[in-house]
Amino acid sequence: MTEAEQRDIATGPNTVESSERRAMAFHTADDDVYVFIGDPATQPLWHWDKWLLLMPDHDALFQVARGPASTRSTQFLPNRGGTVKFGKIGWKEPGQQKWTHGSPRTLESSPSWSFLDTELWAPAWTQCERDKSAPDIFMAIASQSPFGAAPAFEPVIVLAVVSQHASGRSAKGRNPQRFPAR
């Protein structure tokens, strides 16, 4: 095995390229991981009306993290090329209106967007980098059909919760609430 292959195995897939290769700290906590697959016949989760149904259930979960949550979303502008620029997106409702389709803020602009994925980090990914530690809560929502293919399921959601939060054990002086079972 070459030195480069050994380095790739040691750092794993979650790395950031810069002038110096370094590993992001995604392996500093044990997580409970959940994978959900959606029905492509239903309204997509990134539509505002659907997202409003999910937000309250996850609000308590994101509040137990050691810092404020943030959102990253990648959406294309197929007719114009490039991606939608959202700026900073927080967890509260005004921030969530920025990236969801058909929200009061995006009602006119979102029909021209093609959703690829959204990540929710708590605390924000920038804080995780500064702290050199994994997020307490991470959710990724990915479309299986951003370019028109008919998916078998839509979307795919991965939710990772630091095990102490998922089990209800206290973390860093906070009183986490147990993740609501469905």
Side-chain angles (χ1 to χ4, degrees):
M1 183 177 296
T2 68
E3 184 179 327
E5 290 171 328
Q6 290 174 345
R7 185 177 59 241
D8 287 345
I9 290 171
T11 58
N14 298 315
T15 60
V16 171
E17 293 293 332
S18 66
S19 60
E20 173 182 309
R21 188 175 172 117
R22 60 190 170 95
M24 290 182 76
F26 290 102
H27 308 290
T28 60
D30 292 329
D31 291 320
D32 288 0
V33 178
Y34 308 87
V35 177
F36 306 91
I37 54 176
D39 179 351
T42 64
Q43 184 180 41
L45 190 57
W46 48 89
H47 282 257
W48 180 244
D49 293 341
K50 191 75 151 188
W51 188 248
L52 274 177
L53 299 174
L54 182 72
M55 258 187 88
D57 286 342
H58 290 83
D59 192 50
L61 179 64
F62 280 96
Q63 295 303 318
V64 301
R66 66 183 186 277
S70 70
T71 305
R72 300 170 75 178
S73 187
T74 303
Q75 300 190 43
F76 296 105
L77 296 164
N79 298 329
R80 291 180 276 166
T83 59
V84 181
K85 306 297 183 202
F86 295 107
K88 187 175 180 179
I89 308 173
W91 170 249
K92 300 295 183 194
E93 188 173 312
Q96 298 303 296
Q97 285 185 13
K98 287 182 179 181
W99 69 271
T100 52
H101 293 212
S103 75
R105 186 172 180 160
T106 65
L107 197 54
E108 293 184 24
S109 57
S110 63
S112 67
W113 302 348
S114 181
F115 181 88
L116 179 62
D117 63 31
T118 291
E119 298 175 351
L120 297 111
W121 294 64
W125 73 274
T126 51
Q127 181 179 341
C128 292
E129 264 302 291
R130 280 191 307 272
D131 296 347
K132 294 183 171 53
S133 62
D136 295 344
I137 296 99
F138 174 81
M139 181 188 301
I141 304 164
S143 173
Q144 301 303 297
S145 62
F147 302 106
F153 39 82
E154 178 84 333
V156 173
I157 303 167
V158 176
L159 174 64
V161 181
V162 169
S163 296
Q164 60 195 11
H165 292 316
S167 67
R169 294 191 302 266
S170 181
K172 299 188 181 196
R174 300 187 91 161
N175 296 318
Q177 299 176 12
R178 181 155 174 80
F179 181 68
R182 288 257 179 211

